[in-house]
């Protein structure tokens, strides 16, 4: 494949729809902030944050909840997304935001990296505060979109229920929900 867009085009329809929706939410969110970094990088990072699911299409297209072993496999998609983004020359800052989008505080990613055959945890040594902020923003947008939109395995949640879950996941940033939803 010549371009990361070619990889993206191979994703299932639901993942593409989610990624486009996250891209739109990222533009809306970034426009409410003064940071040039967010304006430039957040929409691109949100568009490609799930490109690593290409290796798990059989799992992400299933209806119903994932088993524990399937959930363990799908937890690797941020690492695969990082590797794909790197391979296709996306900015390292975007790549690290994508890598950390499910774990901005880096509590679990190091263990997953140690288990992954194509990468090691040394990638975390160069993580900056800006990388963590980008990952946190991707995570907030990803969660919001996942809660408010229909998914293959469940119906969308109400705005109120989604805002409660968002506040539980981002207690210091609960007020941001309105800028994303």
């Amino acid at each position: 494949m010549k371009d990361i867009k070619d990889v993206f085009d191979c994703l299932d329809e639901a993942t593409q729809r989610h990624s486009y929706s996250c891209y739109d939410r990222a533009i809306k969110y970034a426009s409410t902030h003064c940071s040039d970094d967010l304006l430039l990088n957040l929409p691109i990072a949100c568009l490609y944050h799930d490109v690593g699911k290409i290796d798990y299409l059989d799992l992400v297209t299933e209806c119903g909840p994932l088993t524990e072993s399937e959930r363990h496999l799908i937890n690797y998609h941020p690492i695969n997304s990082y590797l794909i983004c790197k391979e296709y020359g996306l900015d390292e800052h975007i790549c690290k935001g994508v890598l950390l989008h499910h774990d901005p505080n880096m509590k679990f990613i190091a263990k997953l990296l140690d288990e992954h055959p194509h990468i090691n945890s040394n990638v975390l040594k160069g993580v900056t505060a800006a990388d963590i902020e980008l990952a946190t923003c991707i995570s907030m947008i990803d969660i919001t979109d996942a809660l408010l939109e229909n998914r293959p395995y469940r119906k969308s949640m109400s705005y109120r229920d989604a805002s409660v879950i968002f506040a539980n996941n981002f207690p210091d940033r609960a007020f941001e929900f309105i800028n994303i939803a």
Side-chain angles (χ1 to χ4, degrees), residues 9-181:
D9 289 343
C10 291
L11 291 170
D12 64 290
E13 185 179 322
T15 302
Q16 286 183 8
R17 191 172 41 255
H18 167 68
S19 296
Y20 281 127
S21 181
C22 287
Y23 175 85
D24 291 340
R25 290 179 193 279
I27 291 172
K28 175 184 171 189
Y29 179 75
S31 70
T32 65
H33 292 75
C34 297
S35 166
D36 288 343
D37 175 58
L38 287 181
L39 243 125
L40 293 172
N41 296 313
L42 185 59
I44 296 166
C46 282
L47 184 61
Y48 295 121
H49 77 283
D50 279 346
V51 75
K53 288 183 178 178
I54 191 84
D55 295 333
Y56 310 107
L57 289 179
D58 55 329
L59 296 179
V60 298
T61 57
E62 285 183 17
C63 292
L66 297 174
T67 66
E68 191 173 321
S69 62
E70 290 170 334
R71 169 66 51 204
H72 183 74
L73 278 177
I74 205 78
N75 282 341
Y76 285 101
H77 87 270
I79 296 171
N80 293 344
S81 295
Y82 168 82
L83 291 170
I84 291 168
C85 288
K86 268 190 87 66
E87 179 181 342
Y88 287 96
L90 269 66
D91 182 84
E92 182 67 17
H93 177 52
I94 291 172
C95 294
K96 286 183 179 176
V98 165
L99 173 67
L100 299 173
H101 82 270
H102 276 282
D103 190 21
N105 297 319
M106 298 186 290
K107 292 179 181 175
F108 308 107
I109 195 72
K111 182 180 184 307
L112 289 176
L113 287 169
D114 286 339
E115 295 173 3
H116 200 279
H118 302 296
I119 196 170
N120 64 49
S121 58
N122 288 336
V123 73
L124 297 179
K125 289 184 178 162
V127 171
T128 66
D131 297 330
I132 292 170
E133 176 62 13
L134 179 62
T136 301
C137 291
I138 298 167
S139 184
M140 292 189 308
I141 290 166
D142 186 27
I143 287 172
T144 300
D145 191 76
L147 296 173
L148 292 176
E149 301 298 326
N150 288 327
R151 306 294 281 188
Y153 49 87
R154 67 156 178 76
K155 296 285 184 193
S156 65
M157 291 186 178
S158 71
Y159 185 89
R160 184 182 178 286
D161 290 346
S163 69
V164 169
I165 291 171
F166 184 94
N168 288 336
N169 279 280
F170 305 99
D172 296 339
R173 298 180 81 163
F175 63 93
E176 301 278 12
F177 182 79
I178 197 164
N179 294 320
I180 298 170

